[in-house]
Amino acid sequence: MPFWIGLLALTPLVSRATTVPFVESFDSDVSGWEDAVNAPLTFTATGGADGGGYASGQYNLFGYTSPFGGGPIVLRASGADSASGGAFIGDWLADGVGSITAMIRHDAPEDLSFYLRIATAANFPGAVLDSTQTVSANVWTQVTWLVDPSSPLCIAEGGSCAASLANVGNFQIGTSAPAALMDDDVAYTFDVDLVSIVPVPEPGTALLMGLGLAGLALAGRRGDQA
């Protein structure tokens, strides 16, 4: 029997519900969040995306290599540590999680992309939710990860995206690793604030949004014809 199947059989199913909606604002501390080596993040009381507190971790990409072909995990919210009070832990599909957003800032000299990795309490199997957004240096930027098991941006690790999204026990944010940064022996800083669990829009809200967009499109066509 493959190793990951045996591990899955030994992994308890999540029984708690995700807190939806929820915003981790790091108002007074780092709320149990950790860095790449499971050390507590650094707390700063002012200067966050909303003017208040935020959390930071560091990572040195010098000589970085990964057997999985992606960049490193730089920020962690572990269920075992009750990070954010365990708000991110649960069955995201049954609990109606539509997306996850976070305000992110870094000081690397290259634009970076960020992915979200979720996994069971045993940290495997899991799935990666990718994003097409990039974040420039020293600018708070909101990154959004859609929670959709059928999306091509959801990449499963040793199982399926649906199974991983239904049993979230670990929540991790990772970044790309541009080749140019792997030559620099520098510990770059990654700041995070306002990490949000966004519910799936109610049907009425989604319909109104769709009608609004259609109306804008129609108005634009009329303007072109005038």
Side-chain angles (χ1 to χ4, degrees), residues 15-167:
S15 59
R16 65 183 301 164
T18 321
T19 304
V20 186
F22 175 81
V23 179
E24 177 53 77
S25 56
F26 302 105
D27 282 337
S28 58
D29 54 39
V30 299
S31 297
W33 283 55
E34 298 173 330
D35 64 11
V37 294
N38 299 113
L41 296 182
T42 299
F43 174 70
T44 303
T46 60
D50 59 353
Y54 65 95
S56 303
Q58 289 191 322
Y59 196 92
N60 190 335
L61 288 163
F62 182 69
Y64 175 79
T65 58
S66 170
F68 304 107
I73 299 293
V74 293
L75 305 163
R76 300 175 183 270
S78 170
D81 298 325
S82 194
S84 294
F88 296 96
I89 307 309
D91 183 338
W92 284 10
L93 300 181
D95 296 337
V97 180
S99 63
I100 303 292
T101 67
M103 298 298 293
I104 294 178
R105 184 176 64 182
H106 67 86
D107 63 357
E110 299 261 347
D111 289 355
L112 299 177
S113 61
F114 290 82
Y115 62 87
L116 177 66
R117 180 180 183 269
I118 50 96
T120 65
N123 209 33
F124 188 86
V128 168
L129 304 181
D130 215 343
S131 172
T132 58
Q133 297 170 258
T134 57
V135 179
S136 299
N138 302 311
V139 178
W140 282 111
T141 304
Q142 185 180 69
V143 179
T144 300
W145 299 279
L146 295 178
V147 177
D148 179 357
S150 64
S151 169
L153 293 176
C154 187
I155 305 165
E157 300 174 350
S160 69
C161 279
S164 295
L165 291 168
N167 187 24

Side-chain angles (χ1 to χ4, degrees), residues 159-185:
S160 69
C161 279
S164 295
L165 291 168
N167 187 24
V168 177
N170 280 292
F171 178 102
Q172 304 161 348
I173 296 175
T175 186
S176 54
L181 299 186
M182 297 183 204
D183 295 329
D184 301 331
D185 191 2

